[in-house]
Amino acid sequence: MNKKNNSNSLIRLMGYLRPWRSKILLASIYSAMNKIFDIAPEVLIGVAVDLVVKKNQSFVASLGFESINSQVLFLGFITFVIWALESVFEYLYMIKWRGLAQNVEHSLRVSAYDHSQRLDLDWHERQSTGNITAILNDDINQLERFLNNGVNQIIQVMVSTIIIGFIFFYISPLIASIAIVPVPLIFIISLVFQKRLSPKYKIIREKVGALNSSIMNNLLGIQVIKSFMTYDLEKESLKSKSRDYQMANIDAIAISSAFNPLIRMGVLAGFLGTILIGSYMALNGTIEVGSYSILVFLTQRFLWPFTSLSTLIDDFERSMASCARIFNMMHMKIKIINKENAIKPIDLSYDIKFRNISFGYSKDIELFKSLDMEIPFGSSIGIVGDTGSGKTTIAKLILRLYETERGVIYLGDYNINDLDLNFLRKKIGIVNQESFLFNASIRDNICYGIHDPQPEDIELAAKQSQAWEFIARMPNGLDTMIGERGQTISGGQRQRIAIARTLMRKPKIIIFDEATSSVDNHTEQLIQRALFAIREGRTSIIIAHRLSTIRNCNNILVLKEGTIIEQGNHDSLLKVKDSYYSKLWRIQTGKQDDSEILANHNM
């Protein structure tokens, strides 16, 4: 199974590397040429020994160099050329492989990131941010390290094995046979270790993902950690995950470390065979002294590279484990996509209609069962209900962040699934309870995603969102930096900047999802003013727990367990005796005891 997984990962990687085929071929040629010239000095040693022993009958003399001086000078010149070419090709292959590794790393990281951000929201909600980060950083870096040097090592081991093996058999088939005896044993040992290491490195990659997740979550929640003084608790939690990662690595190291000594023993066996039998044959005159010298030096060059197989297999297994994680994410199917010939209407000035909608976040639990409702264009709709009643889900379905299981959502006469997704989401603005702001200026946050924003539009959006009143008081105004996630300004200020950011898109439908749930009364009033100012000419959907936020809406929908149990404007809902809405209103205005209302409601 592990061998199959590695094979699949390697096939996926080769497929991804296809655009760089010509560069890979050129880098491979440079690697091969470097190894050829790297082996040549050992041959020259034999030629030099032959020259000293045979003098005018040497191999160099047979090339036409009669005097000893000319033979020595020729040998020196060839040595210089060979070393120079070996250095040149080393430079060339290092530049090519490292450049290729950087190009692939960059391309793969961008492609993987782009695919991850396009994956459906339900995938992201089932993943940890730290694990995704580990894939985009650690796993891709691991692959880059292998491409940087590992492929070159594989090529050079193959080239040296073929060339030296050919030289061996040319000089002495007997010694060649003895020298290569350890090779099959080395490969068998390599396969055994590879089979045992593969699952170990899969576990390591999972452990590092969990560790990164923990670190990221803790940093995001540092205020909670400080408030609850849980430093020691979180330290112990991180220590446990780090220890799991450490032990997983130690487990793999215990196996990989045993590989090299075993390979060395195989190398020793081949080397001893060459020394002993080669010496006997040279003394008896069966082979020349120069040839014997070549065999002695090349035996070490032939077998010694196999000692690097432990590191090579180690890097390969780590890289294939990383490849599996990278390509598993990249091959994850995006479910919510544009249909062919997706429609782009002129705008979205249409009624929103839910027709027989069924939906659930899991197959076992259905949230909506045949939900029907209509939101006229230009109206303001308030949606209230218990936690888990489906309020936020309505917003997600309108944005097509999720697909309905049955039924159709219409915008005018258009099935929402037939509309261009990019067009749809650009024309629908949303302000969430926890609006994410970037570590940038107020201006950059308001203009996020807008090409060539106009100063007058920025100021208008800031004024309509009631953000201008605090922006104008800041020393740098719109150019004020607000820190990571907007931590240097208040929650209410963040919400108003988020509203301004949404207004810059000039949406025809705007959704406020609990936008006032975590702000003070004064800020709520400012946001209510913003809601009143911006609802002209667009549909406003306001999801809220605070009924004061939605009391002026044209229509209010009361949800319970995925069903609309009441609807009407504020006054009409209050007139209905013992309506759920009126009970909530009395709770929030303090006109009735909470426990009494809840007891009556539960009866």
Side-chain angles (χ1 to χ4, degrees), residues 33-49 75 78-87 164 167 290 293-294 297-298 301:
M33 294 302 296
N34 168 259
K35 181 50 64 175
I36 290 170
F37 288 110
D38 183 50
I39 293 169
E42 271 72 17
V43 177
L44 288 179
I45 291 172
V47 174
V49 171
L75 195 60
I78 291 298
T79 301
F80 174 80
V81 170
I82 287 173
W83 278 85
L85 289 174
E86 190 270 337
S87 299
I164 295 174
I167 294 172
S293 302
I294 293 173
F297 285 106
L298 283 184
R301 296 303 300 271

Side-chain angles (χ1 to χ4, degrees), residues 169-208:
F169 276 100
Y170 177 77
I171 295 173
S172 172
L174 175 61
I175 295 178
S177 301
I178 294 169
I180 67 171
V181 165
V183 175
L185 179 63
I186 289 171
F187 277 109
I188 291 171
I189 293 172
S190 300
L191 290 174
V192 171
F193 274 79
Q194 184 258 340
K195 187 176 181 180
R196 294 191 63 189
L197 281 171
S198 185
K200 303 293 182 185
Y201 286 123
K202 184 176 182 295
I203 293 171
I204 287 172
R205 300 319 305 162
E206 290 171 353
K207 296 296 182 185
V208 78

